[in-house]
Amino acid sequence: MNSAATFVILFSIATGVAIVVRRLKIPYTVALVVVGLVLSATNLMEAPHLTRELLFAVFLPGLLFDAAFNLEAGAFWGNRLTIGSLAVPGVVAGILLTGLIVTFAIQSFGLVDGFSWRHGLVFGALVAATDPIAVVALFRELNAPHRLRVIVEGESLLNDGTSIVALTLILAVVNGTSTTAFAVIREFLTIVGGGAAIGWLLGLGLSHIILRIDDAMIEITLTSIAAYGSFILAEQLHYSGVIATVSAGLVCGLYARRVGMSPSTQLAVQTFWEYVAFALNSVIFLLIGFDVGFTALASYWQIILIAFVAMLAARAALIMGVTGLLQRTAESIPLKWGLAVTWSGLRGALSMVLALALPVTFPGRDVLIAMTFGVVLASILVQGLTMPVMLRRLGIVKSEDARFSYDLARGRLQVAARLRREVTRMRDHHAAPTDLLDLLEENYSRRSEAAIRALRALHNERDDLREEEAAVTVEHLLRVERAELVDRLRSGLMHRNVFDRLAGDVDKRIIRVRAGNFETVDEIIPFTSEWKSVSENTSDDCAADDSAADDSAAKPE
C-alpha cells in the first residue's frame, strides 16, 4: 500500500473515531491511541513509523505554530512567572529529579544491569516535555477555569524547546563532549536565544508583508511559511527550531493578526490552522498507537511502572515547589489547581521520537526506548482517561448531572416544538379529528412549558450553561447572517463594497464570540450608533414628510 493510500485510510479512521467519541464522552486523542493499539495488534494495516524527520518536518511546526498563534497574549503575560518557572527551570529540575528517582529505584531492585545516573538523566530529558493536547481539549469541553487552561497550554508550548535543548546538552555531557557547567549554560542560552531571534525576525518580516496586502489565501500561505520556515531555518543554523516556531507564532498572532489582517482574513486563517491542528493531531496520535507495540513492552512492565511513578513523583514535587514559591505573589494558584496541573502533564509523540533518535551505539538504548514508550502509553491512557473524574472530585469543574439535565430539557423542548408544528400541519390538512388534535396540542404545550421551566431553573443555578447557550446561539445567528450576505452577493443583489463592509463586521463579531470576549448579547448583536443614526434619520424624514403633508392639507386650494 502506497503512502497516499495509507494517509487516506488514517484520516478516515480518525474521522470515524471523532464521530464516535462525541457520544462516548472520552478524550479524542486517547481514543485515537487505543484504536492505533488495536489496529497494530491485529496487523490489519501497515502505518508509517514516527521518525524524527517526520515529526520535525511535518507535525511539530504546525502544532506549535497553531498553539502560539492562538495564544491569548494578555492571559499568557499575566501568568508569565508561573509558566516560565514551569517551562525553563522547572524542566531542568524535573529532569534531575526524575533521573535521580528512577536511577535509585532501578538500582535498588536490581532490574537492569549497568543502569547508572547517566541513563536516568537521559530518561528524565526524554520525558521532560508535556503534551497536554487531550487535556486542554477536555478542559475546554468541561469549562475548566480559563487561567488553568492558559497555564497548562503555555507550559507545554515552551517546555518542548527546553527539553530538546536539555537532552542535547545532557547527551554531550554524558559522551564527554561538554564538561564544564559554564559551557553547558552558555550553549543552552545560545541555542534558545538564537532560535527565538530567528523566529522573531522572520515573523516580524512576514507580518509587515501581511500588513500591506489584503488577500486571505496569500496571508494563510505567509503564516505557513512562518511556521515551517522558521523551524527549518533555525535547525539549519543549529539553533532551536521549536523555539523559533513558537517565537514566530507569537509575533504573527500578536502583530500580523491584530494589526494586518481584516476580520474576514482573521477568521479564514483561524479556521485553516484549526483544521491543520486537528489533522496533525489525528494522525500523530494514531501513529503513537501503532508504534508503541503493547505486547513488546510487556517484558519491561516493572521498569515502566517505576519510570511512570518516578515521572509523576518528580512532577508533583516540581509543581508543589513552584506553587509554594508563588504563594505570596499575584500569580498564586490554589492547591487543587496544582494537583490538576500535575496530573495534566501527559507525555506524547515528542518523547517517543527523541527516544528513537538516540544514537544506536548509546548503552542501554533499548531499555530507554521501552521505558519512554511505556510511560507515554501509561500517561495517555491513565491520566487522560481519569482527568475528568479528578477535575470533578477536586471541584474544579461542575458535575455532569446538570449538563445532562440541561441537554435533556433542551431536547424535550425541541421535540415538543416539532410535534406542535406537525399537529398544526395536520389540522390545516384535516388529517385527523379536531378534538383529538386539540388534546394532543394541549399535551405537547404542557411538555414545552415543563421543559422551559427546567431550563430556567438550570440557568439560574449554572451561569456557565447560560453563557454557553448564548455563545452558541449568537454564533449560529451570525453564520446565518453571513450566509445571507453571501447569497445576496452571488445573486447580484448586493455590491461588493457593501458586502465587504457588512461581512467584515459579522466576521469581527464571530471572532469575539469564539474567544468569549463579550459579556452580554447586546455587545455582539447591538443596536449600534450607525443603526441608530439610520433610524433617527428615517424618523426625521418621515416626520418631515408628515409635516409637509399636513401643511399641504392645510393650504386652501
Side-chain angles (χ1 to χ4, degrees):
M1 185 183 298
N2 60 42
S3 57
T6 300
F7 275 99
V8 169
I9 294 174
L10 290 175
F11 277 119
S12 301
I13 294 171
T15 303
V17 172
I19 294 171
V20 172
V21 298
R22 290 174 66 89
R23 298 180 178 275
L24 298 181
K25 300 294 185 182
I26 63 175
Y28 170 57
T29 47
V30 175
L32 286 171
V33 173
V34 173
V35 171
L37 285 169
V38 172
L39 292 175
S40 176
T42 55
N43 294 317
L44 291 177
M45 65 173 291
E46 190 72 24
H49 294 288
L50 276 172
T51 63
R52 181 184 175 90
E53 291 72 23
L54 185 62
L55 184 75
F56 278 34
V58 178
F59 294 104
L60 207 53
L63 292 172
L64 290 171
F65 186 86
D66 170 69
F69 184 78
N70 291 299
L71 193 66
E72 298 179 43
F76 181 85
W77 186 251
N79 294 281
R80 61 190 180 279
L81 190 58
T82 305
I83 294 171
S85 300
L86 292 173
V88 183
V91 166
V92 176
I95 291 172
L96 296 175
L97 195 53
T98 302
L100 178 65
I101 296 173
V102 78
T103 302
F104 175 78
I106 289 178
Q107 288 181 349
S108 298
F109 290 103
L111 296 175
V112 180
D113 292 335
F115 195 95
S116 67
W117 63 269
R118 293 177 175 84
H119 299 92
L121 283 179
V122 171
F123 171 74
L126 290 174
V127 298
T130 58
D131 185 11
I133 295 167
V135 175
V136 171
L138 190 65
F139 279 3
R140 292 193 182 110
E141 182 181 341
L142 296 175
N143 289 313
H146 178 260
R147 186 183 170 216
L148 178 60
R149 298 203 305 264
V150 170
I151 291 173
V152 171
E153 194 165 10
E155 178 204 359
S156 173
L157 187 63
L158 297 181
N159 67 17
D160 284 354
T162 308
S163 64
I164 292 173
V165 175
L167 176 62
T168 303
L169 297 179
I170 286 173
L171 288 174
V173 171
V174 168
N175 293 326
T177 306
S178 182
T179 55
T180 66
F182 177 75
V184 170
I185 294 173
R186 182 183 61 189
E187 192 170 356
F188 178 86
L189 294 176
T190 301
I191 294 173
V192 171
I198 289 172
W200 184 80
L201 289 172
L202 185 59
L204 190 62
L206 293 173
S207 296
H208 279 294
I209 298 175
I210 290 173
L211 190 64
R212 287 164 172 76
I213 61 175
D214 186 16
D215 188 307
M217 296 301 101
I218 295 177
E219 292 174 68
I220 289 174
T221 304
L222 290 173
T223 59
S224 302
I225 294 172
Y228 288 87
S230 59
F231 192 97
I232 294 170
L233 181 59
E235 288 291 318
Q236 290 292 324
L237 296 175
H238 305 292
Y239 296 117
S240 173
V242 172
I243 297 297
T245 298
V246 170
S247 180
L250 290 172
V251 172
C252 290
L254 290 172
Y255 183 55
R257 180 170 61 176
R258 295 190 177 186
V259 179
M261 294 181 184
S262 66
S264 298
T265 300
Q266 287 185 43
L267 194 61
V269 173
Q270 181 181 356
T271 303
F272 169 79
W273 282 106
E274 282 179 358
Y275 172 72
V276 168
F278 169 79
L280 295 179
N281 280 324
S282 298
V283 175
I284 200 170
F285 277 92
L286 270 177
L287 294 182
I288 287 175
F290 275 101
D291 271 358
V292 162
F294 185 74
T295 54
L297 298 178
S299 59
Y300 293 98
W301 72 269
Q302 290 176 303
I303 304 173
I304 291 171
L305 179 61
I306 289 174
F308 181 61
V309 173
M311 182 267 293
L312 283 179
R315 181 162 179 82
L318 166 66
I319 300 300
M320 188 182 303
V322 172
T323 302
L325 290 173
L326 298 177
Q327 199 63 40
R328 296 183 179 277
T329 70
E331 294 186 31
S332 62
I333 60 177
L335 175 61
K336 59 184 180 181
W337 280 26
L339 296 174
V341 173
T342 299
W343 202 247
S344 68
L346 278 69
R347 270 55 176 180
L350 180 60
S351 296
M352 294 172 56
V353 170
L354 291 177
L356 291 172
L358 287 174
V360 178
T361 57
F362 190 83
R365 179 177 183 270
D366 292 341
V367 174
L368 289 172
I369 291 175
M371 290 170 63
T372 304
F373 277 41
V375 165
V376 169
L377 180 61
S379 174
I380 292 173
L381 295 180
V382 176
Q383 293 171 254
L385 287 173
T386 57
M387 197 71 212
V389 177
M390 178 176 225
L391 291 175
R392 295 190 190 101
R393 290 287 178 87
L394 293 174
I396 295 175
V397 300
K398 302 293 182 64
S399 171
E400 283 293 287
D401 293 341
R403 162 63 61 186
F404 178 77
S405 299
Y406 175 81
D407 291 339
L408 188 64
R410 175 60 65 193
R412 285 173 172 169
L413 179 60
Q414 292 169 344
V415 170
R418 174 68 182 85
L419 292 172
R420 289 176 67 183
R421 291 196 300 271
E422 181 62 19
V423 168
T424 301
R425 189 194 67 79
M426 294 175 68
R427 190 191 305 279
D428 293 340
H429 290 81
H430 305 286
T434 303
D435 56 344
L436 175 60
L437 294 176
D438 289 342
L439 180 63
L440 290 170
E441 184 172 21
E442 182 181 355
N443 179 281
Y444 295 140
S445 296
R446 287 200 299 268
R447 285 195 196 181
S448 297
E449 292 169 0
I452 290 172
R453 287 195 297 271
L455 286 172
R456 286 175 178 170
L458 288 168
H459 281 165
N460 291 332
E461 295 175 6
R462 294 278 298 273
D463 290 339
D464 57 318
L465 292 177
R466 182 170 62 250
E467 292 168 1
E468 181 181 341
E469 185 174 35
V472 171
T473 303
V474 168
E475 184 170 353
H476 170 72
L477 292 174
L478 288 172
R479 291 190 175 280
V480 172
E481 184 177 346
R482 201 183 196 289
E484 176 64 21
L485 292 173
V486 172
D487 288 342
R488 298 186 72 81
L489 176 67
R490 289 175 176 172
S491 62
L493 298 176
M494 180 176 289
H495 193 273
R496 182 74 199 191
N497 291 339
V498 176
F499 171 82
D500 289 342
R501 169 74 178 275
L502 296 178
D505 179 61
V506 172
D507 291 340
K508 189 184 301 182
R509 287 181 279 158
I510 290 176
I511 292 170
R512 286 188 64 187
V513 172
R514 284 185 172 183
N517 187 22
F518 71 101
E519 294 182 2
T520 65
V521 173
D522 287 341
E523 295 180 40
I524 302 299
I525 305 182
F527 189 61
T528 63
S529 57
E530 180 179 340
W531 283 102
K532 288 178 182 178
S533 64
V534 171
S535 176
E536 290 167 359
N537 291 338
T538 305
S539 300
D540 293 341
D541 292 341
C542 291
D545 291 342
D546 291 341
S547 176
D550 292 342
D551 291 343
S552 176
K555 290 180 181 179
E557 297 186 8

